[in-house]
Amino acid sequence: MRLDIVTLFPAVCEGPLGASIIGRARERELVDLRLVDLRQYTHDRHRTVDEPPYGGGAGMVLKPEPLFEAMQDVAPPGAWRVLLTPQGVPFRQACARRLAALRHLVLVCGHYEGVDERARQALFDEELSIGDYVLTNGALAAAVVADAVIRLLPGVLGCEESSEDESFGRNGWLEYPQYTRPAEMQGMRVPEVLLSGDHEAIRAWRRQRSLARTAARRPGLIQGWDGDQ
Ligand code: ADE
């Protein structure tokens, strides 16, 4: 997959996407990740990317011209173009799976108080939010989406890190509790069933715990209304 991130702060993305599993995936060329500095598409002396809003009000709005120019450069026809913004549709695991199937994904980070509406309407196939809170800019949000997508690409996770059994995996529920050695820690014992070697009983226990945890924390996932999109 080719993945472009268009941002005013490439360095913010480089950190989280340069290490560990994602860093190795890039080294192994399982993903062609490009961090694109939006400011390179400005032409005035001050490299202006934002202006006050027409009609007045607080804050600054991202100008349309650098965005149009950047997209002309990095998003040929066929590329899927996503704007990160708190006003977007909530990003979920099902969305990560859908994006991971694309050949070319372009993530664009919003900034300041907003993005000129003409650019929003003309340039993007969808708008995504990573949650109901406001970050200083979309670079961290793009890094989150990129991480969730890249780890699903073929060959990125070994089978010991498989993405099948995790939270929001096959049934969309939260993952069951996990334990590792030692079997006893400060008087707390690992549930006996996990030491029993009875795979059928372990499967049933995990399913029950997964359901109980999901019911307690995210009941909507069981009814199916906040899981998929
Ligand atoms: N930019 C600022 N906050 C954001 C959020 N929650 N999701 C996506 N982009 C953002």
Side-chain angles (χ1 to χ4, degrees):
M1 161 186 268
R2 175 169 158 189
L3 201 168
D4 293 85
I5 300 181
V6 180
T7 171
L8 288 167
F9 304 105
V12 173
C13 296
E14 190 51 64
L17 299 175
S20 184
I21 292 173
I22 306 300
R24 279 198 299 280
R26 291 170 71 186
E27 274 163 30
R28 290 160 62 210
E29 297 182 7
L30 298 173
V31 60
D32 176 7
L33 176 67
R34 305 180 192 191
L35 300 176
V36 180
D37 187 348
L38 183 61
R39 221 173 272 279
Q40 80 185 72
Y41 299 100
T42 57
H43 303 290
D44 62 312
R45 211 156 48 89
H46 301 292
R47 310 186 80 196
T48 311
V49 290
D50 58 341
E51 301 270 10
Y54 277 123
M60 300 288 268
V61 175
L62 211 52
K63 288 166 65 61
E65 304 98 309
L67 282 170
F68 272 87
E69 223 180 280
M71 295 308 263
Q72 174 93 25
D73 212 17
V74 305
W80 187 254
R81 305 157 304 171
V82 177
L83 178 69
L84 279 306
T85 161
Q87 295 131 39
V89 170
F91 177 65
R92 300 195 198 290
Q93 190 63 22
C95 181
R97 283 192 284 265
R98 172 167 60 77
L99 298 182
L102 298 169
R103 287 209 8 232
H104 187 182
L105 173 62
V106 180
L107 301 176
V108 177
C109 307
H111 194 46
Y112 304 120
E113 305 306 307
V115 176
D116 184 277
E117 190 64 23
R118 293 160 297 183
R120 284 173 87 143
Q121 290 190 357
L123 297 177
F124 299 105
D125 299 299
E126 69 180 324
E127 298 189 0
L128 293 176
S129 162
I130 64 160
D132 292 341
Y133 40 80
V134 181
L135 303 165
T136 52
N137 70 83
L140 282 175
V144 166
V145 170
D147 183 294
V149 168
I150 292 169
R151 68 187 285 283
L152 297 178
L153 297 178
V156 172
L157 295 183
C159 36
E160 68 284 2
E161 305 150 320
S162 159
S163 61
E164 285 224 331
D165 236 12
E166 64 196 5
S167 295
F168 318 111
R170 278 172 299 210
N171 58 15
W173 297 350
L174 303 183
E175 205 190 344
Y176 45 78
Q178 295 274 27
Y179 297 85
T180 187
R181 280 193 276 266
E184 185 171 332
M185 175 77 201
Q186 297 188 350
M188 296 177 284
R189 279 197 59 76
V190 170
E192 281 310 318
V193 62
L194 299 179
L195 310 175
S196 68
D198 180 343
H199 295 293
E200 199 43 56
I202 292 172
R203 229 188 329 273
W205 181 88
R206 285 181 165 166
R207 193 184 138 78
Q208 186 274 327
R209 288 309 189 91
S210 171
L211 181 59
R213 181 168 275 185
T214 310
R217 297 181 185 176
R218 300 287 303 277
L221 291 178
I222 295 171
Q223 287 141 25
W225 50 256
D226 69 354
D228 266 15
Q229 54 160 292

